[in-house]
mmCIF file of all heavy atoms in Angstrom:
data_model
loop_
_atom_site.group_PDB
_atom_site.id
_atom_site.type_symbol
_atom_site.label_atom_id
_atom_site.label_comp_id
_atom_site.label_asym_id
_atom_site.label_seq_id
_atom_site.Cartn_x
_atom_site.Cartn_y
_atom_site.Cartn_z
ATOM 1 N N CYS A 17 228.568 -137.850 308.910
ATOM 2 C CA CYS A 17 227.935 -138.624 309.969
ATOM 3 C C CYS A 17 227.165 -137.717 310.961
ATOM 4 O O CYS A 17 226.060 -138.002 311.310
ATOM 5 C CB CYS A 17 229.005 -139.432 310.712
ATOM 6 S SG CYS A 17 228.373 -140.494 312.017
ATOM 7 N N SER A 18 227.813 -136.629 311.344
ATOM 8 C CA SER A 18 227.194 -135.707 312.317
ATOM 9 C C SER A 18 225.996 -135.005 311.682
ATOM 10 O O SER A 18 224.963 -134.818 312.331
ATOM 11 C CB SER A 18 228.229 -134.663 312.808
ATOM 12 O OG SER A 18 229.203 -135.306 313.595
ATOM 13 N N ALA A 19 226.129 -134.605 310.431
ATOM 14 C CA ALA A 19 225.044 -133.933 309.755
ATOM 15 C C ALA A 19 223.828 -134.832 309.598
ATOM 16 O O ALA A 19 222.663 -134.390 309.746
ATOM 17 C CB ALA A 19 225.482 -133.431 308.377
ATOM 18 N N GLU A 20 224.045 -136.138 309.338
ATOM 19 C CA GLU A 20 222.970 -137.096 309.235
ATOM 20 C C GLU A 20 222.238 -137.219 310.561
ATOM 21 O O GLU A 20 221.034 -137.346 310.604
ATOM 22 C CB GLU A 20 223.467 -138.422 308.731
ATOM 23 C CG GLU A 20 223.839 -138.410 307.249
ATOM 24 C CD GLU A 20 224.470 -139.687 306.763
ATOM 25 O OE1 GLU A 20 224.946 -140.521 307.583
ATOM 26 O OE2 GLU A 20 224.536 -139.839 305.536
ATOM 27 N N LYS A 21 222.994 -137.199 311.691
ATOM 28 C CA LYS A 21 222.379 -137.303 313.003
ATOM 29 C C LYS A 21 221.515 -136.076 313.278
ATOM 30 O O LYS A 21 220.447 -136.230 313.909
ATOM 31 C CB LYS A 21 223.444 -137.418 314.078
ATOM 32 C CG LYS A 21 224.160 -138.742 314.083
ATOM 33 C CD LYS A 21 225.220 -138.747 315.185
ATOM 34 C CE LYS A 21 226.006 -140.062 315.135
ATOM 35 N NZ LYS A 21 227.123 -140.102 316.055
ATOM 36 N N LEU A 22 221.924 -134.893 312.843
ATOM 37 C CA LEU A 22 221.172 -133.691 313.131
ATOM 38 C C LEU A 22 220.091 -133.363 312.082
ATOM 39 O O LEU A 22 219.159 -132.664 312.364
ATOM 40 C CB LEU A 22 222.112 -132.478 313.188
ATOM 41 C CG LEU A 22 223.065 -132.486 314.362
ATOM 42 C CD1 LEU A 22 224.098 -131.364 314.225
ATOM 43 C CD2 LEU A 22 222.332 -132.339 315.708
ATOM 44 N N GLY A 23 220.281 -133.920 310.862
ATOM 45 C CA GLY A 23 219.371 -133.616 309.795
ATOM 46 C C GLY A 23 219.637 -132.207 309.256
ATOM 47 O O GLY A 23 220.381 -131.450 309.811
ATOM 48 N N GLY A 24 219.069 -131.912 308.153
ATOM 49 C CA GLY A 24 219.215 -130.585 307.561
ATOM 50 C C GLY A 24 220.530 -130.400 306.835
ATOM 51 O O GLY A 24 221.286 -131.319 306.632
ATOM 52 N N VAL A 25 220.787 -129.166 306.409
ATOM 53 C CA VAL A 25 221.962 -128.762 305.678
ATOM 54 C C VAL A 25 222.863 -127.956 306.578
ATOM 55 O O VAL A 25 222.389 -127.097 307.305
ATOM 56 C CB VAL A 25 221.547 -127.977 304.397
ATOM 57 C CG1 VAL A 25 222.774 -127.507 303.624
ATOM 58 C CG2 VAL A 25 220.614 -128.823 303.501
ATOM 59 N N HIS A 26 224.169 -128.210 306.468
ATOM 60 C CA HIS A 26 225.129 -127.494 307.327
ATOM 61 C C HIS A 26 226.245 -126.931 306.483
ATOM 62 O O HIS A 26 226.654 -127.576 305.483
ATOM 63 C CB HIS A 26 225.679 -128.445 308.394
ATOM 64 C CG HIS A 26 224.636 -129.022 309.238
ATOM 65 N ND1 HIS A 26 224.131 -128.395 310.378
ATOM 66 C CD2 HIS A 26 223.933 -130.177 309.138
ATOM 67 C CE1 HIS A 26 223.188 -129.117 310.921
ATOM 68 N NE2 HIS A 26 223.018 -130.206 310.162
ATOM 69 N N ARG A 27 226.804 -125.815 306.883
ATOM 70 C CA ARG A 27 227.889 -125.157 306.187
ATOM 71 C C ARG A 27 229.186 -125.904 306.446
ATOM 72 O O ARG A 27 229.459 -126.270 307.539
ATOM 73 C CB ARG A 27 228.052 -123.725 306.586
ATOM 74 C CG ARG A 27 226.944 -122.809 306.226
ATOM 75 C CD ARG A 27 227.215 -121.422 306.796
ATOM 76 N NE ARG A 27 226.152 -120.537 306.517
ATOM 77 C CZ ARG A 27 226.287 -119.469 305.715
ATOM 78 N NH1 ARG A 27 227.445 -119.177 305.119
ATOM 79 N NH2 ARG A 27 225.246 -118.680 305.494
ATOM 80 N N VAL A 28 230.012 -126.001 305.409
ATOM 81 C CA VAL A 28 231.355 -126.483 305.543
ATOM 82 C C VAL A 28 232.313 -125.633 304.733
ATOM 83 O O VAL A 28 231.856 -124.996 303.744
ATOM 84 C CB VAL A 28 231.521 -128.007 305.135
ATOM 85 C CG1 VAL A 28 230.707 -128.887 306.005
ATOM 86 C CG2 VAL A 28 231.212 -128.165 303.666
ATOM 87 N N HIS A 29 233.534 -125.576 305.109
ATOM 88 C CA HIS A 29 234.572 -124.893 304.350
ATOM 89 C C HIS A 29 235.581 -125.992 303.979
ATOM 90 O O HIS A 29 236.151 -126.605 304.856
ATOM 91 C CB HIS A 29 235.219 -123.843 305.265
ATOM 92 C CG HIS A 29 236.423 -123.202 304.618
ATOM 93 N ND1 HIS A 29 236.335 -122.196 303.696
ATOM 94 C CD2 HIS A 29 237.734 -123.419 304.876
ATOM 95 C CE1 HIS A 29 237.599 -121.826 303.355
ATOM 96 N NE2 HIS A 29 238.442 -122.539 304.043
ATOM 97 N N VAL A 30 235.751 -126.183 302.673
ATOM 98 C CA VAL A 30 236.706 -127.242 302.231
ATOM 99 C C VAL A 30 238.035 -126.597 302.035
ATOM 100 O O VAL A 30 238.234 -125.620 301.274
ATOM 101 C CB VAL A 30 236.198 -127.887 300.903
ATOM 102 C CG1 VAL A 30 237.245 -128.895 300.385
ATOM 103 C CG2 VAL A 30 234.835 -128.477 301.106
ATOM 104 N N LYS A 31 239.028 -127.143 302.779
ATOM 105 C CA LYS A 31 240.405 -126.628 302.738
ATOM 106 C C LYS A 31 241.200 -127.513 301.759
ATOM 107 O O LYS A 31 241.282 -128.726 301.948
ATOM 108 C CB LYS A 31 241.012 -126.696 304.152
ATOM 109 C CG LYS A 31 242.481 -126.426 304.190
ATOM 110 C CD LYS A 31 242.776 -124.983 303.865
ATOM 111 C CE LYS A 31 244.240 -124.724 304.082
ATOM 112 N NZ LYS A 31 244.847 -123.909 303.068
ATOM 113 N N VAL A 32 241.709 -126.878 300.801
ATOM 114 C CA VAL A 32 242.520 -127.570 299.756
ATOM 115 C C VAL A 32 244.008 -127.192 300.013
ATOM 116 O O VAL A 32 244.310 -126.028 300.173
ATOM 117 C CB VAL A 32 242.094 -127.190 298.331
ATOM 118 C CG1 VAL A 32 242.995 -127.809 297.270
ATOM 119 C CG2 VAL A 32 240.618 -127.541 298.113
ATOM 120 N N ASP A 33 244.842 -128.175 300.038
ATOM 121 C CA ASP A 33 246.290 -127.945 300.187
ATOM 122 C C ASP A 33 246.786 -127.324 298.933
ATOM 123 O O ASP A 33 246.775 -127.908 297.851
ATOM 124 C CB ASP A 33 246.994 -129.266 300.445
ATOM 125 C CG ASP A 33 248.483 -129.130 300.698
ATOM 126 O OD1 ASP A 33 249.003 -128.018 300.494
ATOM 127 O OD2 ASP A 33 249.118 -130.094 301.126
ATOM 128 N N THR A 34 247.254 -126.086 299.060
ATOM 129 C CA THR A 34 247.753 -125.351 297.897
ATOM 130 C C THR A 34 249.291 -125.376 297.785
ATOM 131 O O THR A 34 249.843 -124.613 297.031
ATOM 132 C CB THR A 34 247.272 -123.917 297.952
ATOM 133 O OG1 THR A 34 247.693 -123.282 299.162
ATOM 134 C CG2 THR A 34 245.706 -123.845 297.800
ATOM 135 N N GLY A 35 249.897 -126.261 298.611
ATOM 136 C CA GLY A 35 251.336 -126.394 298.463
ATOM 137 C C GLY A 35 252.160 -126.277 299.746
ATOM 138 O O GLY A 35 253.305 -126.659 299.777
ATOM 139 N N MET A 36 251.584 -125.787 300.827
ATOM 140 C CA MET A 36 252.342 -125.645 302.087
ATOM 141 C C MET A 36 252.347 -126.968 302.865
ATOM 142 O O MET A 36 253.138 -127.117 303.801
ATOM 143 C CB MET A 36 251.782 -124.541 302.923
ATOM 144 C CG MET A 36 252.011 -123.192 302.276
ATOM 145 S SD MET A 36 251.918 -121.778 303.328
ATOM 146 C CE MET A 36 253.147 -122.164 304.566
ATOM 147 N N HIS A 37 251.444 -127.881 302.528
ATOM 148 C CA HIS A 37 251.364 -129.183 303.181
ATOM 149 C C HIS A 37 251.111 -129.146 304.702
ATOM 150 O O HIS A 37 251.596 -130.006 305.391
ATOM 151 C CB HIS A 37 252.613 -130.041 302.820
ATOM 152 C CG HIS A 37 252.900 -130.094 301.360
ATOM 153 N ND1 HIS A 37 252.051 -130.737 300.487
ATOM 154 C CD2 HIS A 37 253.883 -129.568 300.625
ATOM 155 C CE1 HIS A 37 252.500 -130.624 299.264
ATOM 156 N NE2 HIS A 37 253.617 -129.919 299.316
ATOM 157 N N ARG A 38 250.432 -128.114 305.131
ATOM 158 C CA ARG A 38 250.108 -127.994 306.552
ATOM 159 C C ARG A 38 248.722 -128.604 306.848
ATOM 160 O O ARG A 38 248.503 -129.218 307.863
ATOM 161 C CB ARG A 38 250.132 -126.554 307.024
ATOM 162 C CG ARG A 38 251.512 -125.941 306.961
ATOM 163 C CD ARG A 38 251.575 -124.589 307.555
ATOM 164 N NE ARG A 38 250.370 -123.792 307.296
ATOM 165 C CZ ARG A 38 250.147 -122.584 307.791
ATOM 166 N NH1 ARG A 38 250.992 -122.041 308.588
ATOM 167 N NH2 ARG A 38 249.062 -121.976 307.484
ATOM 168 N N MET A 39 247.835 -128.298 305.936
ATOM 169 C CA MET A 39 246.442 -128.764 306.146
ATOM 170 C C MET A 39 245.737 -128.744 304.809
ATOM 171 O O MET A 39 246.010 -127.900 304.002
ATOM 172 C CB MET A 39 245.711 -127.898 307.136
ATOM 173 C CG MET A 39 244.280 -128.375 307.423
ATOM 174 S SD MET A 39 243.441 -127.186 308.445
ATOM 175 C CE MET A 39 241.834 -127.729 308.253
ATOM 176 N N GLY A 40 244.830 -129.680 304.643
ATOM 177 C CA GLY A 40 243.997 -129.626 303.484
ATOM 178 C C GLY A 40 244.063 -130.866 302.624
ATOM 179 O O GLY A 40 245.015 -131.687 302.713
ATOM 180 N N VAL A 41 243.065 -131.029 301.783
ATOM 181 C CA VAL A 41 242.958 -132.108 300.848
ATOM 182 C C VAL A 41 243.900 -131.836 299.708
ATOM 183 O O VAL A 41 243.927 -130.753 299.158
ATOM 184 C CB VAL A 41 241.495 -132.255 300.354
ATOM 185 C CG1 VAL A 41 241.383 -133.372 299.357
ATOM 186 C CG2 VAL A 41 240.562 -132.440 301.525
ATOM 187 N N ASP A 42 244.711 -132.813 299.364
ATOM 188 C CA ASP A 42 245.609 -132.706 298.225
ATOM 189 C C ASP A 42 244.764 -132.824 296.963
ATOM 190 O O ASP A 42 244.001 -133.774 296.763
ATOM 191 C CB ASP A 42 246.639 -133.835 298.307
ATOM 192 C CG ASP A 42 247.721 -133.697 297.222
ATOM 193 O OD1 ASP A 42 247.413 -133.240 296.107
ATOM 194 O OD2 ASP A 42 248.859 -134.018 297.551
#
C-alpha cells in the first residue's frame, strides 16, 4: 500500500520464521 502511494520500487527484507517463533512468516 505504501509503495503504491510513493510509486517506484522499494527494498524489502522478507523474514521467514526458521523455528524460534519470534518473528517471521511461517
Side-chain angles (χ1 to χ4, degrees):
C17 181
S18 294
E20 287 174 344
K21 288 179 183 174
L22 292 171
V25 176
H26 302 275
R27 292 177 183 247
V28 298
H29 172 79
V30 177
K31 172 68 174 137
V32 176
D33 183 349
T34 58
M36 293 199 58
H37 308 294
R38 295 186 323 174
M39 182 186 166
V41 178
D42 188 323

